[in-house]
Amino acid sequence: MSDCLFCKIINGEIPSNKLYEDDKILAFYDISPIAPVHFLVIPKEHIQSVDAVNAQNSEVVAYIFAKIAKKAGIENGYRVVSNCGHDAGQTVPHLHFHVLGGKEMNWEV
């Protein structure tokens, strides 16, 4: 999608601080981190949100989670968050996972 922020990052139109990239996914550090380690992982294929994951595109989600475990490098665990829709706080309509770690997390929303 030509007006999608994350598609522009994938295409190199907007710079990012990359953690990992291959032909399927991109991981980059969040510009407003809320934890000592905070990065996003996105599929290069434009998928609107978790609600748009289906049998045809779900393989990339499994691939993302396999890579997160290897790239997180966070001792004592990490949290993965995906906001789905406006009320949940999704501000970019492109499937993405926030990976948070480096401290003990509380359950406050």
Side-chain angles (χ1 to χ4, degrees), residues 31-108:
I31 61 170
S32 298
I34 61 170
V37 177
H38 184 174
F39 62 90
L40 285 76
V41 185
I42 62 175
K44 288 191 170 180
E45 171 188 357
H46 183 86
I47 301 170
Q48 187 86 6
S49 70
V50 170
D51 282 344
V53 175
N54 58 40
Q56 290 74 40
N57 63 23
S58 62
E59 186 177 296
V60 75
V61 175
Y63 184 80
I64 285 170
F65 279 94
K67 292 294 180 179
I68 286 174
K70 290 179 178 65
K71 288 294 168 190
I74 304 166
E75 293 186 29
N76 300 321
Y78 56 92
R79 180 173 292 169
V80 178
V81 177
S82 184
N83 302 324
C84 185
H86 180 266
D87 285 354
Q90 184 178 7
T91 58
V92 179
H94 186 120
L95 178 64
H96 58 285
F97 299 97
H98 293 262
V99 180
L100 308 162
K103 71 175 189 175
E104 187 173 340
M105 304 284 174
N106 62 39
W107 285 99
E108 294 178 19

